Amino acid sequence: ADCHRRADMGSGCRVPGRVNASDAWIHRKGIAMKKKILRRTTCMLIAVLLAILLWMGNALFGNPVSRMLAENTARKHLDDVYAGTDYYIERIGYSFKDANYHAFIRSPSSVDTEFTLYITMLGRMRLDTYDDVLSGFNTARRLDHAYRMLTNTVLEDSSFPYACHIAYGMLEIYPRWLIDEGRDPYDVPGYAIVQDELVIDGDYDIRELGRQAGHLILYVESGSVDAQRASEIMLNIKARFDEAGIPFA
């Protein structure tokens, strides 16, 4: 009774079962603080996740701003270095392998004039592969592809009797410096065509090139493996190519 009287008189006596006003305020303040911290932590986690996703997306696919910078750099490079030519940007693509934009350049008047400009995300020119045109590399690639398509008419014909996981034809074409190194003839045969001597956009007889430097690569599956069987297979393949009028060295 005395305690109740003191409570009524405004004293600080605590009554069992009752919550002091100051304690309730502190309790509510603590809950509000916890919610605030939780919201702040959640926002930070979301921001970090978004940053990671943006970084990954940028690394894998690039971004519109960097693509615009790459295009501007490519156009300026063509104007500065190749003024007066008919070169144009065929397309621009991003490569996650080297984190660069690739501007593919072509010429409507030259089948062998195609090269690539490598440009960083900040729009800085990193590499110009125009030397592929001047060195004869593009010409060699064009001729090699033409010979390969020619040999495929035999190797991919439905009447070809052998199962091959690997089967194609190629032209042995190498740059002068590689031939002059005097490498093993197995790597660079003596009959190889010198890449540097090819004429850009030159019109070549693919069959004659095949006669000079054609090379067939075949991995043939066979139930028996011996010299006699290998000889039969090679003679049969040779006969098929002779009948098709496709020579090789």
Side-chain angles (χ1 to χ4, degrees):
D2 183 58
C3 202
H4 282 295
R5 283 196 300 271
R6 290 181 181 179
D8 294 339
M9 294 171 65
S11 70
C13 179
R14 290 180 177 273
V15 178
R18 294 187 178 182
V19 179
N20 187 281
S22 62
D23 291 342
W25 181 84
I26 292 173
H27 180 67
R28 290 195 300 272
K29 186 73 172 177
I31 293 176
M33 184 63 69
K34 288 180 181 179
K35 289 182 178 179
K36 185 176 181 180
I37 293 173
L38 181 61
R39 285 196 300 269
R40 186 172 296 176
T41 303
T42 302
C43 290
M44 290 178 63
L45 287 175
I46 293 174
V48 170
L49 288 174
L50 285 175
I52 292 174
L53 289 174
L54 288 173
W55 178 82
M56 291 180 62
N58 186 61
L60 291 174
F61 307 109
N63 64 81
V65 175
S66 292
R67 190 189 185 286
M68 181 183 66
L69 292 174
E71 183 174 356
N72 291 339
T73 299
R75 293 190 184 284
K76 186 177 185 305
H77 188 75
L78 290 182
D79 291 339
D80 293 344
V81 180
Y82 304 106
T85 67
D86 59 359
Y87 302 165
Y88 68 95
I89 301 173
E90 181 183 39
R91 61 186 175 88
I92 296 177
Y94 175 76
S95 173
F96 70 89
K97 295 180 181 179
D98 59 12
N100 287 316
Y101 281 89
H102 298 176
F104 299 94
I105 312 301
R106 295 189 68 100
S107 166
S109 61
S110 172
V111 67
D112 291 333
T113 300
E114 54 180 15
F115 56 100
T116 305
L117 305 178
Y118 292 73
I119 304 169
T120 68
M121 283 193 170
L122 297 178
R124 183 175 63 85
M125 178 64 62
R126 183 178 178 185
L127 178 66
D128 180 342
T129 67
Y130 186 69
D131 188 60
D132 287 348
V133 180
L134 300 179
S135 67
F137 175 80
N138 286 357
T139 306
R141 183 175 57 184
R142 170 173 61 88
L143 299 175
D144 181 72
H145 178 73
Y147 184 71
R148 182 164 185 158
M149 293 299 100
L150 190 62
T151 58
N152 282 350
T153 60
V154 173
L155 299 174
E156 296 181 359
D157 189 270
S158 59
S159 65
F160 192 72
Y162 306 111
C164 302
H165 289 298
I166 299 176
Y168 63 93
M170 62 172 287
L171 292 175
E172 299 282 6
I173 306 176
Y174 298 94
R176 169 66 69 187
W177 67 265
L178 194 59
I179 295 175
D180 290 343
E181 277 189 353
R183 294 198 174 192
D184 190 314
Y186 181 81
D187 296 322
V188 181
Y191 56 79
I193 296 171
V194 181
Q195 175 181 295
D196 311 60
E197 297 177 357
L198 295 174
V199 178
I200 298 174
D201 298 329
D203 185 15
Y204 290 89
D205 186 328
I206 300 301
R207 284 181 166 79
E208 284 303 313
L209 293 180
R211 192 185 312 279
Q212 176 186 343
H215 185 180
L216 299 182
I217 295 92
L218 294 92
Y219 289 76
V220 179
E221 293 184 5
S222 177
S224 60
V225 181
D226 54 50
Q228 179 63 32
R229 178 58 179 160
S231 176
E232 292 173 358
I233 292 173
M234 287 190 288
L235 288 173
N236 183 273
I237 292 174
K238 175 66 167 61
R240 290 175 178 274
F241 274 85
D242 287 345
E243 183 179 358
I246 304 174
F248 54 89

